């Protein structure tokens, strides 16, 4: 039963991440998600202190605000200060992460948070943390419920604003020309990324979020360039990383989050090699058919 | 507090000396290497390497069964190195973009590392405790042996940079030029990657996986705002690094609950933020100010130009005109127009009578000059660059504000004192009487 709950939660995280990640890598913003996943730390600590405990809503809010702030700062230094994007990302997130660690040390006495729980959460504890109603009835694991809500939000978001996201992703200047604000959709997408990152923290940790945001969509991108297909294929790879990751972790008794990232990486490597072969064969047959064509 | 400061600066305990010297050496060597990765626009390389060393550390522990620092460093370097090579390979031989490959390499290697680390921890091997200090770093726990390792590696890095200074400079700024000169670019890049790996692997033990990226990027980014010269940039980055190293070590000494690494990064980031905003020439404030000044200048000149062209159409350059008339000629926002006119009248280029505005003699001359430059430039574009006459206006709109008197003379000579532009509009001459029919 526990195994199913863990795999289910992992799959929910994986699908949420794969969907958002597809947009991120097409927008060449993969590293922004890495930055957000680290930079939300001070937001979590401050929210923790102000709410006086692990109030999920406060944590989400604190981290969400920091996520948006990170995106804004990266853009600001890049646009106004003419700092190259990679450096802008690097300076911003390390600064905020350092602030977070300092805050954690400052409150060390009375806080039950530490940086390793942020860096690599433990999905194995998911079944233990259940929401129990006042009537004593159990609603099921908290992480499972939170992630279901997040996934529904993401699906709704993509369903409702598919066209806007599509246009701003592939041709931002055209989008602006027809009156769709690229900036607005940029921040809308980044808000969802922050939300997903924070919601997944407690169960899988920051690094796995990044691994799932980037790796399955990158794998799908190797196979197809059509957005709809890419969303579906990357979700499938996400789910299979969750399933096989759990099995791997169970076999060698290691971290489930780490194993899921590992499996995602192995999937990428396999697809990479296969697609290289396929592309080579395709080029060769194209060349052959060119040569065999009658030259009249 | 002063006691603590005194103890600190006099190295009252050997431990202080280790931590301070270790932090300084580490900060300087990573700042210097970081300048090159920054200039190669691969600032996040450090982040990838620092995450990718974890599986190497775990593997070398699994293989050797000991925590011998040298074996761990070798293992760490190997996987750190592989992560970069894999990343480059993915970018080169597929359609995956650099940012995706960076994130992919970073998170997958780290995931493998976490898997191995937990596997070791669960296997019940008592010798494994402390392996995870690599994750978060602990500068305060530096001891004599670490200092020796740090100094050795810092010296190696600085010596390599010293000997390959010219080559690194070339491959950082212009790889293709380096190639045509016959330099072994791939080998040089490998050397640069290797010393980056070395800097990261040693640095991690002090500041941890995440913050190691800052030790490389932040001093370089800050230094870049103050200078365009590589040698000065390297020196500045090293100074910023050393200063943060000392300050970070002091803060965690004065208040022991405070971690050294994050404070080093915090001080570095503050220096960087100050540079971003206040550096002369490239800082954000000076940029915004210059932009504002330019907008003001352009607005004034455009207004004078409108006065002049309106004067051309009714052969009366000094007559009074309403704001509506000006706005009909060119789309100004009403508030901007009012502000611009007020400023021009303060500068003596226009005068006003009730709500009507007219050029002064100075205003007439300046407006004439802008129109002259605009039409000469249009002529130049059609005559010399063979651009169609209906495509030259936009370009002239922006260039008219920046042409210097010297350039004006050259244009005039080149076009042989022209009198009409490609649209058959007259090009105003320098010595041209003011036509004012109403008078």
């Amino acid at each position: 039963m526990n195994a199913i709950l863990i795999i289910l939660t992992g799959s929910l995280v994986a699908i949420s991440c794969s969907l958002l990640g597809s947009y991120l890598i097409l927008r060449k913003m993969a590293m922004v998600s890495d930055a957000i996943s680290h930079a939300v730390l001070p937001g979590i600590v401050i929210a923790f202190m102000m709410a006086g405990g692990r109030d999920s809503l406060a944590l989400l809010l604190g981290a969400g605000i920091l996520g948006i702030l990170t995106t804004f700062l990266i853009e600001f230094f890049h646009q106004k200060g003419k700092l190259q994007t990679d450096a802008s990302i690097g300076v911003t997130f390390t600064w905020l992460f350092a602030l977070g660690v300092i805050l954690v040390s400052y409150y060390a006495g009375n806080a039950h948070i530490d940086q390793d729980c942020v860096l690599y959460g433990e999905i194995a504890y998911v079944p233990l943390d259940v929401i129990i109603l006042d009537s004593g009835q159990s609603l099921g694991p908290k992480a499972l419920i939170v992630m279901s809500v997040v996934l529904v939000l993401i699906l709704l978001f993509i369903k409702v604003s598919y066209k806007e996201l599509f246009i701003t992703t592939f041709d931002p200047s055209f989008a602006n020309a027809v009156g769709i604000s690229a900036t607005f959709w940029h921040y809308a997408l980044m808000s969802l990324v922050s939300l997903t990152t924070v919601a997944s923290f407690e169960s899988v940790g920051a690094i796995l979020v990044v691994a799932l945001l980037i790796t399955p969509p990158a794998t799908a991108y190797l196979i197809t360039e059509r957005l709809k297909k890419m969303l579906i294929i990357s979700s499938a790879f996400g789910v299979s990383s969750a399933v096989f990751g759990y099995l791997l972790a169970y076999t060698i008794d290691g971290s489930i989050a780490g194993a899921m990232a590992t499996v995602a990486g192995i999937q990428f490597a396999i697809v990479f090699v296969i697609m290289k072969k396929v592309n080579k064969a395709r080029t060769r047959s194209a060349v052959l058919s060119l040569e065999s064509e009658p030259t009249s | 507090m002063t006691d603590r400061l005194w103890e600190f600066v006099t190295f009252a305990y050997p431990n202080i000396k280790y931590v301070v010297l270790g932090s300084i050496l580490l900060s300087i060597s990573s700042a210097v290497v970081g300048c090159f990765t920054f200039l190669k626009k691969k600032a996040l390389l450090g982040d990838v390497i620092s995450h990718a060393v974890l599986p190497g550390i775990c593997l070398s522990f699994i293989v050797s069964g000991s925590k011998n620092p040298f074996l761990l460093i070798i293992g760490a370097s190997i996987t750190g190195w592989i992560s970069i090579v894999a990343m480059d390979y993915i970018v080169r031989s597929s359609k995956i973009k650099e940012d995706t490959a960076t994130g992919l390499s970073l998170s997958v290697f780290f995931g493998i590392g976490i898997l191995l680390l937990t596997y070791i921890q669960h296997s019940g091997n008592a010798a494994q405790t402390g392996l995870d200090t690599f994750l978060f770093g602990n500068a305060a726990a530096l001891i004599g042996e670490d200092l020796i390792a740090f100094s050795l590696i810092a010296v190696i890095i600085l010596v390599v940079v010293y000997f390959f200074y010219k080559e690194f400079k070339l491959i950082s700024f212009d790889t293709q030029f380096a190639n045509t000169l016959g330099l072994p670019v791939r080998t040089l890049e490998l050397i640069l990657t290797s010393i980056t790996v070395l800097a990261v692997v040693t640095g991690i033990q002090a500041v941890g996986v995440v913050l190691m990226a800052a030790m490389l990027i932040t001093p370089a980014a800050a230094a870049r705002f103050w200078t365009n010269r590589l040698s000065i940039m390297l020196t500045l980055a090293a100074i910023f690094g050393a200063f943060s190293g000392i300050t970070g070590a002091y803060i965690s000494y004065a208040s022991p609950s405070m971690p050294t690494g994050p404070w080093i990064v915090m001080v570095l980031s503050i220096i960087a933020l100050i540079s971003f905003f206040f550096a002369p020439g490239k800082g954000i404030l000076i940029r915004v100010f210059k932009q504002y000044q330019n907008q003001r200048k352009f607005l004034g000149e455009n207004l004078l130009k409108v006065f002049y062209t309106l004067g051309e159409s009714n052969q009366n350059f000094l007559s009074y005109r309403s704001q509506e008339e000006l706005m009909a000629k060119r789309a100004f926002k009403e508030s901007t127009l009012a502000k611009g006119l007020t400023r021009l009248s303060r500068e003596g280029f226009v005068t006003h009578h009730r709500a009507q505005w007219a050029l002064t003699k100075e205003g007439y001359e300046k407006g004439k000059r802008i129109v002259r430059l605009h039409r000469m430039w249009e002529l130049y574009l059609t005559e010399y660059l063979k651009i169609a006459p209906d495509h030259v206006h936009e370009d002239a709109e922006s260039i008219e504000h920046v042409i210097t008197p010297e350039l004006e003379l050259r244009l005039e000579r080149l076009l042989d004192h022209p009198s009409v532009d490609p649209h058959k509009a007259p090009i105003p001459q320098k010595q041209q009487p003011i036509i004012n029919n109403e008078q």
Side-chain angles (χ1 to χ4, degrees), chain B residues 93-390:
Chain B
S93 61
S94 78
K95 56 188 174 184
I96 302 273
K97 309 288 181 305
E98 179 143 8
D99 65 313
T100 307
T102 310
L104 191 124
S105 179
L106 175 161
S107 56
V108 169
F109 271 84
F110 193 69
I112 297 173
I114 293 291
L115 181 64
L116 291 174
L117 184 66
T118 43
Y119 164 72
I120 296 170
Q121 282 168 344
H122 295 170
S123 68
N125 186 336
Q128 55 84 18
T129 47
L131 265 186
D132 50 357
T133 54
F134 264 95
L135 279 181
F136 306 116
N138 193 358
L142 291 178
I143 49 169
E145 282 170 42
D146 297 325
L147 189 62
I148 295 170
F150 271 18
S151 344
L152 201 69
I153 289 175
V155 168
I156 294 176
I157 290 173
L158 293 177
V159 166
V160 172
V161 170
Y162 179 79
F163 277 108
F164 289 101
Y165 177 74
K166 218 189 265 169
E167 286 81 358
F168 283 170
K169 189 175 175 179
L170 257 177
I171 60 167
S172 306
F173 287 105
D174 197 340
T175 322
Q176 280 172 346
F177 182 54
N179 248 328
T180 51
L181 284 184
L183 283 178
V185 173
R186 290 294 285 278
T187 319
L188 286 168
E189 279 182 343
L190 280 183
I191 296 174
L192 192 56
T193 308
S194 308
I195 59 172
T196 314
V197 171
L198 217 53
V200 170
V201 170
T202 42
I204 279 181
Q205 302 169 59
V207 300
V209 166
V210 178
L211 296 179
M212 192 54 223
M215 306 295 286
L216 290 162
I217 306 169
T218 313
R224 185 68 186 84
F225 274 76
W226 299 91
T227 176
N228 281 330
R229 294 191 64 87
L230 180 61
S231 51
I232 300 176
M233 183 179 161
L234 286 172
T235 320
L236 271 179
I239 293 172
F240 292 159
F243 176 77
S244 321
I246 299 173
T247 320
Y250 173 68
I251 289 173
S252 79
Y253 179 71
S255 142
S257 70
M258 284 294 152
T260 315
W263 270 108
I264 296 180
V265 174
M266 186 46 91
V267 176
L268 268 180
S269 303
I270 292 171
I271 295 176
L273 288 179
I274 292 174
S275 310
F276 293 173
F277 281 100
F278 302 109
K282 292 187 187 176
I284 293 174
L285 285 189
I286 196 92
R287 260 184 223 274
V288 170
F289 178 68
K290 273 188 195 155
Q291 217 171 12
Y292 170 71
Q293 261 189 334
N294 277 340
Q295 271 168 0
R296 246 172 42 168
K297 182 179 168 227
F298 292 178
L299 174 65
E301 294 187 349
N302 283 336
L303 272 169
L304 294 175
K305 199 171 63 174
V306 169
F307 272 109
Y308 184 91
T309 43
L310 282 173
E312 267 183 334
S313 48
N314 68 351
Q315 286 300 303
N316 186 351
F317 288 99
L318 298 184
S319 67
Y320 281 87
R321 299 173 196 287
S322 65
Q323 294 198 6
E324 287 71 38
E325 208 178 335
L326 297 171
M327 271 157 40
K329 184 78 187 168
R330 189 187 175 105
F332 291 108
K333 241 172 66 188
E334 212 172 323
S335 53
T336 333
L337 178 69
K339 253 186 246 165
L341 285 172
T342 319
R343 198 177 309 113
L344 283 177
S345 83
R346 206 170 44 230
E347 290 165 349
F349 292 119
V350 297
T351 60
H352 64 108
H353 180 69
R354 296 214 181 93
Q356 304 270 328
W357 304 77
L359 289 176
T360 61
K361 194 158 177 310
E362 291 76 29
Y364 167 79
E365 288 298 332
K366 197 164 177 190
K368 186 180 77 180
R369 177 165 185 269
I370 301 296
V371 172
R372 187 174 136 78
L373 293 176
H374 181 103
R375 294 184 181 160
M376 282 211 296
W377 187 256
E378 289 189 335
L379 190 61
Y380 171 74
L381 287 183
T382 45
E383 294 245 307
Y384 281 86
L385 298 182
K386 305 287 177 222
I387 295 175
D390 53 342

Side-chain angles (χ1 to χ4, degrees), chain A:
Chain A
M1 185 58 198
N2 280 353
I4 292 173
L5 283 179
I6 292 171
I7 291 176
L8 205 57
T9 313
S11 305
L12 289 177
V13 176
I15 297 173
S16 309
C17 289
S18 304
L19 293 175
L20 290 178
S22 299
Y23 287 100
L24 287 179
I25 74 164
L26 289 172
R27 288 166 170 251
K28 303 195 183 64
M29 289 177 47
M31 286 311 286
V32 179
S33 66
D34 181 51
I36 289 181
S37 70
H38 290 91
V40 292
L41 182 61
I44 294 178
V45 181
I46 293 170
F48 188 92
M49 289 308 142
M50 289 186 20
R54 267 179 194 257
D55 178 357
S56 289
L57 216 59
L59 291 192
L60 278 181
L61 198 68
I65 293 172
L66 256 290
I68 303 285
L69 180 71
T70 314
T71 325
F72 171 76
L73 283 177
I74 291 172
E75 278 296 300
F76 178 76
F77 292 141
H78 177 56
Q79 302 276 347
K80 295 282 172 193
K82 304 281 172 220
L83 186 65
Q84 62 205 46
T85 322
D86 55 342
S88 178
I89 292 174
V91 172
T92 308
F93 90 82
T94 51
W95 168 45
L96 290 171
F97 189 78
L99 179 68
V101 179
I102 290 171
L103 285 175
V104 170
S105 324
Y106 186 71
Y107 293 117
N110 48 7
H112 295 283
I113 40 175
D114 45 15
Q115 25 173 352
D116 31 330
C117 95
V118 175
L119 271 189
Y120 51 102
E122 192 45 274
I123 199 170
Y125 300 145
V126 163
L128 303 178
D129 188 8
V130 291
I131 296 180
I132 295 170
L133 292 179
D134 291 337
S135 58
Q137 201 186 1
S138 166
L139 270 183
K142 197 171 102 191
L144 189 64
I145 294 167
V146 172
M147 282 320 298
S148 312
V149 175
V150 170
L151 179 57
V152 169
L153 271 179
I154 292 173
L155 285 172
L156 273 179
F157 178 72
I158 293 180
K159 175 102 182 116
V160 172
S161 42
Y162 184 81
K163 196 179 65 190
E164 285 81 359
L165 280 175
F166 186 89
I167 297 177
T168 51
T169 300
F170 289 103
D171 198 341
S173 39
F174 176 67
N176 277 330
V178 296
I180 299 173
S181 165
T183 319
F184 172 79
W185 291 104
H186 172 84
Y187 282 103
L189 185 66
M190 289 338 248
S191 316
L192 263 187
V193 172
S194 318
L195 178 75
T196 313
T197 314
V198 186
S200 330
F201 258 158
E202 289 185 79
S203 44
V204 297
I207 292 299
L208 179 60
V209 177
V210 179
L212 289 178
L213 274 168
I214 300 176
T215 316
T219 316
Y221 185 55
L222 286 173
I223 298 174
T224 178
E225 278 177 348
R226 302 190 66 88
L227 180 61
K228 265 195 186 131
K229 262 187 172 173
M230 190 173 157
L231 290 173
I232 295 167
I233 297 178
S234 67
S235 303
F237 277 124
V239 172
S240 73
S241 337
V243 176
F244 291 108
Y246 179 80
L247 293 178
L248 174 63
Y250 184 79
T251 319
I252 70 165
D253 186 20
S255 147
I256 300 171
M260 287 181 181
T262 309
V263 171
I266 295 172
Q267 282 175 351
F268 177 83
I270 295 171
V271 173
F272 187 86
V273 172
I274 293 176
M275 287 315 287
K276 236 179 131 75
K277 288 251 157 68
V278 169
N279 284 337
K280 221 182 218 168
R282 261 190 212 152
T283 332
R284 191 179 301 144
S285 67
V287 170
L288 282 179
S289 68
L290 268 183
E291 281 171 350
S292 62
E293 245 170 51
T295 49
S296 57

